[in-house]
Amino acid sequence: MAPGSSTCKKVDSHLSVSGHDIAISKSENNPTTSKASLGLGGKLGVYSTNGVQELLECPVCTNLMYPPIYQCPNGHTLCSNCKIRVSNSCPTCRHELGNIRCLALEKVAESLEIPCRYQNLGCQDIFPYYSKLKHEQHCRFRPYNCPYAGSECSVTGDIQSLVAHLKDDHKVDMHDGCTFNHRYVKSNPHEVENATWMLTVFNCFGRQFCLHFEAFQLGMAPVYMAFLRFMGDDNEAKKFSYSLEVGGNGRKLIWQGIPRGIRDSHRKVRDSQDGLIIQRNLALYFSGGERQELKLRITGRIWKEE
């Protein structure tokens, strides 16, 4: 029996990894259930999850490692992605890595149940180690990307921090209310270069909505497009609907739809044509005059579905 371990009857495998002794042990009461024991300095004992998680962090990228996990002959480990990046040389001792798998550490990982990385943002769920990564890709508490479309903004955060970011850093107009009446003017409407024109944020029903209006090329045809995005997930966005209306000279176009959540990127929504699309010739007809200047007025409203 391993010293200091009262629950382990039989040790099935053992390996020293970077100065830490790891044993995969079977419970005396349930031989089909595996547990991991970790001892420092050669002593075996019941591990702390935090200590094992540290062992599973790649020393190069600091991300948690998933199979295949590699080790050098001296027991230093790293993930498969970083093994390629370091040109087969151990980043700790510079020894040639080869293709030695750290099967013991991979087995230890199987026995772990650890919290979601977004625990500090509200996710209280705990997952088996190898299920955690899949969950985090879809966790409803994961940070949102900045919805601003005028540049490739890398800022992420929760909704309230992104609203403040849009207002302070991108100088986006903020409006309270569930109706809008916007006028868009462009002196040279023949210049269409995939440029975002405007983003406005509306605070409605205690939630935030992004109204986009832009010009871009749809195939060979220049078009103008307006659409709404909900600052939240799609399952919440489906609780709302919105309408957009544009017209002039006795003609009118009306669009009605459900706002898309900002998990879907601005480009994804735009390229799916999920919004009010106005061909340039029609937009100039709505503008009146000699069709030398774009003058569009778009009205709309947001309502909550019962």
Side-chain angles (χ1 to χ4, degrees), residues 125-160:
D125 294 332
I126 297 176
F127 299 90
Y129 185 81
Y130 291 133
S131 301
K132 174 176 174 286
L133 190 62
K134 183 177 181 180
H135 159 78
E136 289 172 350
Q137 293 172 347
H138 303 283
C139 178
R140 66 188 183 94
F141 293 98
R142 71 191 189 278
Y144 294 91
N145 295 321
C146 172
Y148 190 75
S151 61
E152 295 298 327
C153 182
S154 60
V155 171
T156 63
D158 60 20
I159 298 301
Q160 294 308 313

PDB file of all heavy atoms in Angstrom, residues 125-160:
ATOM      1  N   ASP A 125     -20.797  25.035 -13.080  1.00  0.00           N
ATOM      2  CA  ASP A 125     -20.779  23.620 -13.436  1.00  0.00           C
ATOM      3  C   ASP A 125     -19.371  23.050 -13.346  1.00  0.00           C
ATOM      4  O   ASP A 125     -18.377  23.752 -13.548  1.00  0.00           O
ATOM      5  CB  ASP A 125     -21.325  23.410 -14.843  1.00  0.00           C
ATOM      6  CG  ASP A 125     -22.799  23.754 -14.938  1.00  0.00           C
ATOM      7  OD1 ASP A 125     -23.492  23.625 -13.921  1.00  0.00           O
ATOM      8  OD2 ASP A 125     -23.250  24.175 -16.021  1.00  0.00           O
ATOM      9  N   ILE A 126     -19.306  21.746 -13.050  1.00  0.00           N
ATOM     10  CA  ILE A 126     -18.041  21.008 -12.970  1.00  0.00           C
ATOM     11  C   ILE A 126     -18.111  19.859 -13.966  1.00  0.00           C
ATOM     12  O   ILE A 126     -19.140  19.193 -14.088  1.00  0.00           O
ATOM     13  CB  ILE A 126     -17.793  20.488 -11.546  1.00  0.00           C
ATOM     14  CG1 ILE A 126     -17.651  21.673 -10.576  1.00  0.00           C
ATOM     15  CG2 ILE A 126     -16.549  19.606 -11.486  1.00  0.00           C
ATOM     16  CD1 ILE A 126     -17.494  21.267  -9.130  1.00  0.00           C
ATOM     17  N   PHE A 127     -16.999  19.621 -14.675  1.00  0.00           N
ATOM     18  CA  PHE A 127     -17.006  18.655 -15.776  1.00  0.00           C
ATOM     19  C   PHE A 127     -15.827  17.705 -15.684  1.00  0.00           C
ATOM     20  O   PHE A 127     -14.765  18.061 -15.176  1.00  0.00           O
ATOM     21  CB  PHE A 127     -16.930  19.391 -17.123  1.00  0.00           C
ATOM     22  CG  PHE A 127     -18.078  20.322 -17.372  1.00  0.00           C
ATOM     23  CD1 PHE A 127     -18.002  21.638 -16.969  1.00  0.00           C
ATOM     24  CD2 PHE A 127     -19.233  19.877 -17.977  1.00  0.00           C
ATOM     25  CE1 PHE A 127     -19.061  22.505 -17.170  1.00  0.00           C
ATOM     26  CE2 PHE A 127     -20.297  20.724 -18.183  1.00  0.00           C
ATOM     27  CZ  PHE A 127     -20.214  22.046 -17.781  1.00  0.00           C
ATOM     28  N   PRO A 128     -15.994  16.494 -16.207  1.00  0.00           N
ATOM     29  CA  PRO A 128     -14.822  15.632 -16.407  1.00  0.00           C
ATOM     30  C   PRO A 128     -13.813  16.361 -17.289  1.00  0.00           C
ATOM     31  O   PRO A 128     -14.194  17.119 -18.194  1.00  0.00           O
ATOM     32  CB  PRO A 128     -15.397  14.402 -17.115  1.00  0.00           C
ATOM     33  CG  PRO A 128     -16.845  14.393 -16.748  1.00  0.00           C
ATOM     34  CD  PRO A 128     -17.244  15.836 -16.617  1.00  0.00           C
ATOM     35  N   TYR A 129     -12.558  16.120 -17.033  1.00  0.00           N
ATOM     36  CA  TYR A 129     -11.490  16.879 -17.695  1.00  0.00           C
ATOM     37  C   TYR A 129     -11.654  16.915 -19.209  1.00  0.00           C
ATOM     38  O   TYR A 129     -11.543  17.964 -19.843  1.00  0.00           O
ATOM     39  CB  TYR A 129     -10.140  16.283 -17.320  1.00  0.00           C
ATOM     40  CG  TYR A 129      -8.957  17.067 -17.844  1.00  0.00           C
ATOM     41  CD1 TYR A 129      -8.505  18.194 -17.184  1.00  0.00           C
ATOM     42  CD2 TYR A 129      -8.284  16.670 -19.002  1.00  0.00           C
ATOM     43  CE1 TYR A 129      -7.426  18.918 -17.655  1.00  0.00           C
ATOM     44  CE2 TYR A 129      -7.205  17.384 -19.477  1.00  0.00           C
ATOM     45  CZ  TYR A 129      -6.778  18.510 -18.795  1.00  0.00           C
ATOM     46  OH  TYR A 129      -5.721  19.224 -19.281  1.00  0.00           O
ATOM     47  N   TYR A 130     -11.932  15.768 -19.810  1.00  0.00           N
ATOM     48  CA  TYR A 130     -11.977  15.717 -21.270  1.00  0.00           C
ATOM     49  C   TYR A 130     -13.294  16.237 -21.858  1.00  0.00           C
ATOM     50  O   TYR A 130     -13.430  16.361 -23.068  1.00  0.00           O
ATOM     51  CB  TYR A 130     -11.699  14.290 -21.764  1.00  0.00           C
ATOM     52  CG  TYR A 130     -10.269  13.862 -21.518  1.00  0.00           C
ATOM     53  CD1 TYR A 130      -9.969  12.622 -20.965  1.00  0.00           C
ATOM     54  CD2 TYR A 130      -9.204  14.708 -21.836  1.00  0.00           C
ATOM     55  CE1 TYR A 130      -8.647  12.233 -20.728  1.00  0.00           C
ATOM     56  CE2 TYR A 130      -7.892  14.328 -21.599  1.00  0.00           C
ATOM     57  CZ  TYR A 130      -7.618  13.096 -21.053  1.00  0.00           C
ATOM     58  OH  TYR A 130      -6.315  12.717 -20.833  1.00  0.00           O
ATOM     59  N   SER A 131     -14.276  16.543 -21.002  1.00  0.00           N
ATOM     60  CA  SER A 131     -15.530  17.158 -21.464  1.00  0.00           C
ATOM     61  C   SER A 131     -15.507  18.669 -21.297  1.00  0.00           C
ATOM     62  O   SER A 131     -16.331  19.372 -21.883  1.00  0.00           O
ATOM     63  CB  SER A 131     -16.719  16.578 -20.691  1.00  0.00           C
ATOM     64  OG  SER A 131     -16.807  15.192 -20.850  1.00  0.00           O
ATOM     65  N   LYS A 132     -14.585  19.153 -20.492  1.00  0.00           N
ATOM     66  CA  LYS A 132     -14.546  20.569 -20.137  1.00  0.00           C
ATOM     67  C   LYS A 132     -14.333  21.461 -21.359  1.00  0.00           C
ATOM     68  O   LYS A 132     -15.002  22.491 -21.523  1.00  0.00           O
ATOM     69  CB  LYS A 132     -13.426  20.785 -19.123  1.00  0.00           C
ATOM     70  CG  LYS A 132     -13.136  22.237 -18.750  1.00  0.00           C
ATOM     71  CD  LYS A 132     -12.072  22.279 -17.676  1.00  0.00           C
ATOM     72  CE  LYS A 132     -11.633  23.696 -17.369  1.00  0.00           C
ATOM     73  NZ  LYS A 132     -10.783  24.266 -18.427  1.00  0.00           N
ATOM     74  N   LEU A 133     -13.431  21.078 -22.249  1.00  0.00           N
ATOM     75  CA  LEU A 133     -13.093  21.916 -23.391  1.00  0.00           C
ATOM     76  C   LEU A 133     -14.300  22.090 -24.306  1.00  0.00           C
ATOM     77  O   LEU A 133     -14.589  23.200 -24.771  1.00  0.00           O
ATOM     78  CB  LEU A 133     -11.925  21.307 -24.167  1.00  0.00           C
ATOM     79  CG  LEU A 133     -11.293  22.192 -25.247  1.00  0.00           C
ATOM     80  CD1 LEU A 133     -10.699  23.440 -24.633  1.00  0.00           C
ATOM     81  CD2 LEU A 133     -10.210  21.414 -25.998  1.00  0.00           C
ATOM     82  N   LYS A 134     -15.031  20.998 -24.556  1.00  0.00           N
ATOM     83  CA  LYS A 134     -16.209  21.078 -25.422  1.00  0.00           C
ATOM     84  C   LYS A 134     -17.260  21.983 -24.808  1.00  0.00           C
ATOM     85  O   LYS A 134     -17.900  22.780 -25.505  1.00  0.00           O
ATOM     86  CB  LYS A 134     -16.768  19.679 -25.661  1.00  0.00           C
ATOM     87  CG  LYS A 134     -17.955  19.662 -26.611  1.00  0.00           C
ATOM     88  CD  LYS A 134     -18.431  18.245 -26.873  1.00  0.00           C
ATOM     89  CE  LYS A 134     -19.612  18.232 -27.839  1.00  0.00           C
ATOM     90  NZ  LYS A 134     -20.078  16.835 -28.103  1.00  0.00           N
ATOM     91  N   HIS A 135     -17.461  21.869 -23.493  1.00  0.00           N
ATOM     92  CA  HIS A 135     -18.428  22.740 -22.822  1.00  0.00           C
ATOM     93  C   HIS A 135     -18.047  24.208 -22.961  1.00  0.00           C
ATOM     94  O   HIS A 135     -18.903  25.058 -23.243  1.00  0.00           O
ATOM     95  CB  HIS A 135     -18.530  22.378 -21.336  1.00  0.00           C
ATOM     96  CG  HIS A 135     -19.078  23.493 -20.499  1.00  0.00           C
ATOM     97  ND1 HIS A 135     -20.419  23.799 -20.451  1.00  0.00           N
ATOM     98  CD2 HIS A 135     -18.433  24.409 -19.710  1.00  0.00           C
ATOM     99  CE1 HIS A 135     -20.594  24.850 -19.659  1.00  0.00           C
ATOM    100  NE2 HIS A 135     -19.420  25.225 -19.197  1.00  0.00           N
ATOM    101  N   GLU A 136     -16.773  24.520 -22.759  1.00  0.00           N
ATOM    102  CA  GLU A 136     -16.335  25.916 -22.758  1.00  0.00           C
ATOM    103  C   GLU A 136     -16.515  26.583 -24.114  1.00  0.00           C
ATOM    104  O   GLU A 136     -16.692  27.807 -24.186  1.00  0.00           O
ATOM    105  CB  GLU A 136     -14.877  26.001 -22.310  1.00  0.00           C
ATOM    106  CG  GLU A 136     -14.697  25.694 -20.834  1.00  0.00           C
ATOM    107  CD  GLU A 136     -13.246  25.581 -20.423  1.00  0.00           C
ATOM    108  OE1 GLU A 136     -12.368  25.546 -21.304  1.00  0.00           O
ATOM    109  OE2 GLU A 136     -12.987  25.511 -19.208  1.00  0.00           O
ATOM    110  N   GLN A 137     -16.512  25.799 -25.178  1.00  0.00           N
ATOM    111  CA  GLN A 137     -16.727  26.371 -26.506  1.00  0.00           C
ATOM    112  C   GLN A 137     -18.141  26.902 -26.673  1.00  0.00           C
ATOM    113  O   GLN A 137     -18.393  27.755 -27.527  1.00  0.00           O
ATOM    114  CB  GLN A 137     -16.427  25.320 -27.577  1.00  0.00           C
ATOM    115  CG  GLN A 137     -14.965  24.929 -27.654  1.00  0.00           C
ATOM    116  CD  GLN A 137     -14.721  23.750 -28.584  1.00  0.00           C
ATOM    117  OE1 GLN A 137     -15.655  23.060 -29.005  1.00  0.00           O
ATOM    118  NE2 GLN A 137     -13.466  23.505 -28.923  1.00  0.00           N
ATOM    119  N   HIS A 138     -19.075  26.393 -25.847  1.00  0.00           N
ATOM    120  CA  HIS A 138     -20.475  26.808 -25.955  1.00  0.00           C
ATOM    121  C   HIS A 138     -21.036  27.339 -24.636  1.00  0.00           C
ATOM    122  O   HIS A 138     -22.238  27.588 -24.551  1.00  0.00           O
ATOM    123  CB  HIS A 138     -21.325  25.624 -26.428  1.00  0.00           C
ATOM    124  CG  HIS A 138     -20.871  25.031 -27.725  1.00  0.00           C
ATOM    125  ND1 HIS A 138     -21.129  25.613 -28.950  1.00  0.00           N
ATOM    126  CD2 HIS A 138     -20.136  23.916 -27.991  1.00  0.00           C
ATOM    127  CE1 HIS A 138     -20.595  24.890 -29.907  1.00  0.00           C
ATOM    128  NE2 HIS A 138     -19.986  23.850 -29.358  1.00  0.00           N
ATOM    129  N   CYS A 139     -20.196  27.516 -23.645  1.00  0.00           N
ATOM    130  CA  CYS A 139     -20.665  27.972 -22.330  1.00  0.00           C
ATOM    131  C   CYS A 139     -21.376  29.321 -22.463  1.00  0.00           C
ATOM    132  O   CYS A 139     -20.857  30.253 -23.077  1.00  0.00           O
ATOM    133  CB  CYS A 139     -19.486  28.100 -21.364  1.00  0.00           C
ATOM    134  SG  CYS A 139     -19.962  28.721 -19.730  1.00  0.00           S
ATOM    135  N   ARG A 140     -22.554  29.415 -21.872  1.00  0.00           N
ATOM    136  CA  ARG A 140     -23.318  30.658 -21.995  1.00  0.00           C
ATOM    137  C   ARG A 140     -22.694  31.798 -21.205  1.00  0.00           C
ATOM    138  O   ARG A 140     -23.076  32.959 -21.391  1.00  0.00           O
ATOM    139  CB  ARG A 140     -24.769  30.431 -21.550  1.00  0.00           C
ATOM    140  CG  ARG A 140     -24.958  30.102 -20.079  1.00  0.00           C
ATOM    141  CD  ARG A 140     -26.393  29.702 -19.809  1.00  0.00           C
ATOM    142  NE  ARG A 140     -26.656  29.435 -18.404  1.00  0.00           N
ATOM    143  CZ  ARG A 140     -27.132  30.339 -17.550  1.00  0.00           C
ATOM    144  NH1 ARG A 140     -27.380  31.570 -17.971  1.00  0.00           N
ATOM    145  NH2 ARG A 140     -27.369  30.017 -16.294  1.00  0.00           N
ATOM    146  N   PHE A 141     -21.737  31.499 -20.347  1.00  0.00           N
ATOM    147  CA  PHE A 141     -21.059  32.541 -19.578  1.00  0.00           C
ATOM    148  C   PHE A 141     -19.761  33.017 -20.232  1.00  0.00           C
ATOM    149  O   PHE A 141     -19.108  33.918 -19.705  1.00  0.00           O
ATOM    150  CB  PHE A 141     -20.752  32.039 -18.159  1.00  0.00           C
ATOM    151  CG  PHE A 141     -21.977  31.815 -17.321  1.00  0.00           C
ATOM    152  CD1 PHE A 141     -22.513  30.537 -17.179  1.00  0.00           C
ATOM    153  CD2 PHE A 141     -22.606  32.868 -16.683  1.00  0.00           C
ATOM    154  CE1 PHE A 141     -23.639  30.315 -16.413  1.00  0.00           C
ATOM    155  CE2 PHE A 141     -23.740  32.663 -15.907  1.00  0.00           C
ATOM    156  CZ  PHE A 141     -24.257  31.387 -15.774  1.00  0.00           C
ATOM    157  N   ARG A 142     -19.388  32.401 -21.361  1.00  0.00           N
ATOM    158  CA  ARG A 142     -18.135  32.819 -21.991  1.00  0.00           C
ATOM    159  C   ARG A 142     -18.243  34.275 -22.455  1.00  0.00           C
ATOM    160  O   ARG A 142     -19.337  34.744 -22.789  1.00  0.00           O
ATOM    161  CB  ARG A 142     -17.785  31.899 -23.153  1.00  0.00           C
ATOM    162  CG  ARG A 142     -18.663  32.023 -24.385  1.00  0.00           C
ATOM    163  CD  ARG A 142     -18.381  30.874 -25.349  1.00  0.00           C
ATOM    164  NE  ARG A 142     -19.026  31.051 -26.642  1.00  0.00           N
ATOM    165  CZ  ARG A 142     -20.285  30.754 -26.900  1.00  0.00           C
ATOM    166  NH1 ARG A 142     -21.054  30.267 -25.938  1.00  0.00           N
ATOM    167  NH2 ARG A 142     -20.786  30.926 -28.116  1.00  0.00           N
ATOM    168  N   PRO A 143     -17.139  35.008 -22.513  1.00  0.00           N
ATOM    169  CA  PRO A 143     -17.192  36.424 -22.888  1.00  0.00           C
ATOM    170  C   PRO A 143     -17.686  36.618 -24.318  1.00  0.00           C
ATOM    171  O   PRO A 143     -17.528  35.753 -25.180  1.00  0.00           O
ATOM    172  CB  PRO A 143     -15.726  36.876 -22.757  1.00  0.00           C
ATOM    173  CG  PRO A 143     -15.083  35.878 -21.868  1.00  0.00           C
ATOM    174  CD  PRO A 143     -15.784  34.577 -22.145  1.00  0.00           C
ATOM    175  N   TYR A 144     -18.287  37.764 -24.557  1.00  0.00           N
ATOM    176  CA  TYR A 144     -18.736  38.140 -25.892  1.00  0.00           C
ATOM    177  C   TYR A 144     -17.652  38.947 -26.590  1.00  0.00           C
ATOM    178  O   TYR A 144     -16.873  39.657 -25.941  1.00  0.00           O
ATOM    179  CB  TYR A 144     -20.008  38.998 -25.809  1.00  0.00           C
ATOM    180  CG  TYR A 144     -21.214  38.281 -25.268  1.00  0.00           C
ATOM    181  CD1 TYR A 144     -21.500  38.291 -23.905  1.00  0.00           C
ATOM    182  CD2 TYR A 144     -22.089  37.603 -26.105  1.00  0.00           C
ATOM    183  CE1 TYR A 144     -22.615  37.642 -23.398  1.00  0.00           C
ATOM    184  CE2 TYR A 144     -23.211  36.948 -25.606  1.00  0.00           C
ATOM    185  CZ  TYR A 144     -23.465  36.978 -24.248  1.00  0.00           C
ATOM    186  OH  TYR A 144     -24.566  36.335 -23.754  1.00  0.00           O
ATOM    187  N   ASN A 145     -17.615  38.852 -27.908  1.00  0.00           N
ATOM    188  CA  ASN A 145     -16.735  39.710 -28.697  1.00  0.00           C
ATOM    189  C   ASN A 145     -17.381  41.076 -28.880  1.00  0.00           C
ATOM    190  O   ASN A 145     -18.606  41.195 -28.927  1.00  0.00           O
ATOM    191  CB  ASN A 145     -16.455  39.088 -30.064  1.00  0.00           C
ATOM    192  CG  ASN A 145     -15.675  37.796 -29.977  1.00  0.00           C
ATOM    193  OD1 ASN A 145     -14.766  37.673 -29.162  1.00  0.00           O
ATOM    194  ND2 ASN A 145     -16.028  36.817 -30.790  1.00  0.00           N
ATOM    195  N   CYS A 146     -16.563  42.083 -29.008  1.00  0.00           N
ATOM    196  CA  CYS A 146     -17.067  43.431 -29.260  1.00  0.00           C
ATOM    197  C   CYS A 146     -17.881  43.435 -30.561  1.00  0.00           C
ATOM    198  O   CYS A 146     -17.403  42.960 -31.595  1.00  0.00           O
ATOM    199  CB  CYS A 146     -15.913  44.423 -29.359  1.00  0.00           C
ATOM    200  SG  CYS A 146     -16.411  46.090 -29.885  1.00  0.00           S
ATOM    201  N   PRO A 147     -19.121  43.963 -30.537  1.00  0.00           N
ATOM    202  CA  PRO A 147     -19.957  43.932 -31.742  1.00  0.00           C
ATOM    203  C   PRO A 147     -19.674  45.048 -32.733  1.00  0.00           C
ATOM    204  O   PRO A 147     -20.308  45.110 -33.785  1.00  0.00           O
ATOM    205  CB  PRO A 147     -21.373  44.078 -31.170  1.00  0.00           C
ATOM    206  CG  PRO A 147     -21.189  44.888 -29.932  1.00  0.00           C
ATOM    207  CD  PRO A 147     -19.853  44.473 -29.369  1.00  0.00           C
ATOM    208  N   TYR A 148     -18.694  45.914 -32.431  1.00  0.00           N
ATOM    209  CA  TYR A 148     -18.402  47.014 -33.346  1.00  0.00           C
ATOM    210  C   TYR A 148     -17.838  46.469 -34.651  1.00  0.00           C
ATOM    211  O   TYR A 148     -16.948  45.626 -34.656  1.00  0.00           O
ATOM    212  CB  TYR A 148     -17.393  47.971 -32.708  1.00  0.00           C
ATOM    213  CG  TYR A 148     -17.219  49.255 -33.464  1.00  0.00           C
ATOM    214  CD1 TYR A 148     -18.188  50.253 -33.418  1.00  0.00           C
ATOM    215  CD2 TYR A 148     -16.075  49.483 -34.237  1.00  0.00           C
ATOM    216  CE1 TYR A 148     -18.024  51.438 -34.111  1.00  0.00           C
ATOM    217  CE2 TYR A 148     -15.911  50.668 -34.928  1.00  0.00           C
ATOM    218  CZ  TYR A 148     -16.884  51.647 -34.867  1.00  0.00           C
ATOM    219  OH  TYR A 148     -16.733  52.818 -35.555  1.00  0.00           O
ATOM    220  N   ALA A 149     -18.360  46.960 -35.771  1.00  0.00           N
ATOM    221  CA  ALA A 149     -17.995  46.389 -37.068  1.00  0.00           C
ATOM    222  C   ALA A 149     -17.079  47.287 -37.884  1.00  0.00           C
ATOM    223  O   ALA A 149     -16.648  46.902 -38.965  1.00  0.00           O
ATOM    224  CB  ALA A 149     -19.257  46.091 -37.875  1.00  0.00           C
ATOM    225  N   GLY A 150     -16.775  48.457 -37.393  1.00  0.00           N
ATOM    226  CA  GLY A 150     -15.954  49.373 -38.181  1.00  0.00           C
ATOM    227  C   GLY A 150     -14.488  49.011 -38.200  1.00  0.00           C
ATOM    228  O   GLY A 150     -13.727  49.510 -39.014  1.00  0.00           O
ATOM    229  N   SER A 151     -14.069  48.128 -37.302  1.00  0.00           N
ATOM    230  CA  SER A 151     -12.673  47.686 -37.252  1.00  0.00           C
ATOM    231  C   SER A 151     -12.647  46.316 -36.596  1.00  0.00           C
ATOM    232  O   SER A 151     -13.623  45.884 -35.986  1.00  0.00           O
ATOM    233  CB  SER A 151     -11.813  48.664 -36.446  1.00  0.00           C
ATOM    234  OG  SER A 151     -12.273  48.754 -35.107  1.00  0.00           O
ATOM    235  N   GLU A 152     -11.533  45.637 -36.705  1.00  0.00           N
ATOM    236  CA  GLU A 152     -11.390  44.328 -36.080  1.00  0.00           C
ATOM    237  C   GLU A 152     -11.006  44.522 -34.620  1.00  0.00           C
ATOM    238  O   GLU A 152      -9.832  44.466 -34.251  1.00  0.00           O
ATOM    239  CB  GLU A 152     -10.341  43.495 -36.827  1.00  0.00           C
ATOM    240  CG  GLU A 152     -10.729  43.137 -38.252  1.00  0.00           C
ATOM    241  CD  GLU A 152     -11.978  42.276 -38.309  1.00  0.00           C
ATOM    242  OE1 GLU A 152     -12.184  41.464 -37.383  1.00  0.00           O
ATOM    243  OE2 GLU A 152     -12.755  42.424 -39.272  1.00  0.00           O
ATOM    244  N   CYS A 153     -11.990  44.764 -33.779  1.00  0.00           N
ATOM    245  CA  CYS A 153     -11.748  45.016 -32.364  1.00  0.00           C
ATOM    246  C   CYS A 153     -11.613  43.686 -31.629  1.00  0.00           C
ATOM    247  O   CYS A 153     -12.438  42.788 -31.789  1.00  0.00           O
ATOM    248  CB  CYS A 153     -12.882  45.850 -31.766  1.00  0.00           C
ATOM    249  SG  CYS A 153     -12.639  46.264 -30.026  1.00  0.00           S
ATOM    250  N   SER A 154     -10.577  43.556 -30.815  1.00  0.00           N
ATOM    251  CA  SER A 154     -10.299  42.297 -30.134  1.00  0.00           C
ATOM    252  C   SER A 154     -10.814  42.268 -28.702  1.00  0.00           C
ATOM    253  O   SER A 154     -10.597  41.295 -27.983  1.00  0.00           O
ATOM    254  CB  SER A 154      -8.783  42.041 -30.121  1.00  0.00           C
ATOM    255  OG  SER A 154      -8.106  43.087 -29.436  1.00  0.00           O
ATOM    256  N   VAL A 155     -11.506  43.308 -28.270  1.00  0.00           N
ATOM    257  CA  VAL A 155     -11.991  43.388 -26.893  1.00  0.00           C
ATOM    258  C   VAL A 155     -13.109  42.371 -26.668  1.00  0.00           C
ATOM    259  O   VAL A 155     -13.980  42.190 -27.516  1.00  0.00           O
ATOM    260  CB  VAL A 155     -12.498  44.813 -26.576  1.00  0.00           C
ATOM    261  CG1 VAL A 155     -13.215  44.862 -25.232  1.00  0.00           C
ATOM    262  CG2 VAL A 155     -11.327  45.796 -26.577  1.00  0.00           C
ATOM    263  N   THR A 156     -13.072  41.685 -25.527  1.00  0.00           N
ATOM    264  CA  THR A 156     -14.127  40.767 -25.125  1.00  0.00           C
ATOM    265  C   THR A 156     -14.576  41.119 -23.714  1.00  0.00           C
ATOM    266  O   THR A 156     -13.847  41.779 -22.970  1.00  0.00           O
ATOM    267  CB  THR A 156     -13.664  39.298 -25.170  1.00  0.00           C
ATOM    268  OG1 THR A 156     -12.589  39.121 -24.223  1.00  0.00           O
ATOM    269  CG2 THR A 156     -13.192  38.910 -26.558  1.00  0.00           C
ATOM    270  N   GLY A 157     -15.758  40.663 -23.346  1.00  0.00           N
ATOM    271  CA  GLY A 157     -16.239  40.926 -21.995  1.00  0.00           C
ATOM    272  C   GLY A 157     -17.708  40.592 -21.856  1.00  0.00           C
ATOM    273  O   GLY A 157     -18.334  40.072 -22.780  1.00  0.00           O
ATOM    274  N   ASP A 158     -18.274  40.890 -20.681  1.00  0.00           N
ATOM    275  CA  ASP A 158     -19.700  40.698 -20.505  1.00  0.00           C
ATOM    276  C   ASP A 158     -20.442  41.865 -21.148  1.00  0.00           C
ATOM    277  O   ASP A 158     -19.833  42.820 -21.636  1.00  0.00           O
ATOM    278  CB  ASP A 158     -20.061  40.537 -19.029  1.00  0.00           C
ATOM    279  CG  ASP A 158     -19.669  41.759 -18.180  1.00  0.00           C
ATOM    280  OD1 ASP A 158     -19.478  42.859 -18.745  1.00  0.00           O
ATOM    281  OD2 ASP A 158     -19.570  41.615 -16.952  1.00  0.00           O
ATOM    282  N   ILE A 159     -21.770  41.808 -21.151  1.00  0.00           N
ATOM    283  CA  ILE A 159     -22.556  42.797 -21.883  1.00  0.00           C
ATOM    284  C   ILE A 159     -22.341  44.201 -21.337  1.00  0.00           C
ATOM    285  O   ILE A 159     -22.123  45.155 -22.114  1.00  0.00           O
ATOM    286  CB  ILE A 159     -24.052  42.426 -21.851  1.00  0.00           C
ATOM    287  CG1 ILE A 159     -24.278  41.077 -22.549  1.00  0.00           C
ATOM    288  CG2 ILE A 159     -24.897  43.513 -22.513  1.00  0.00           C
ATOM    289  CD1 ILE A 159     -23.829  41.045 -23.992  1.00  0.00           C
ATOM    290  N   GLN A 160     -22.388  44.359 -20.031  1.00  0.00           N
ATOM    291  CA  GLN A 160     -22.266  45.707 -19.464  1.00  0.00           C
ATOM    292  C   GLN A 160     -20.909  46.336 -19.758  1.00  0.00           C
ATOM    293  O   GLN A 160     -20.815  47.528 -20.063  1.00  0.00           O
ATOM    294  CB  GLN A 160     -22.525  45.669 -17.957  1.00  0.00           C
ATOM    295  CG  GLN A 160     -23.956  45.290 -17.595  1.00  0.00           C
ATOM    296  CD  GLN A 160     -24.989  46.153 -18.313  1.00  0.00           C
ATOM    297  OE1 GLN A 160     -24.874  47.377 -18.354  1.00  0.00           O
ATOM    298  NE2 GLN A 160     -25.994  45.501 -18.901  1.00  0.00           N
TER     299      GLN A 160
END
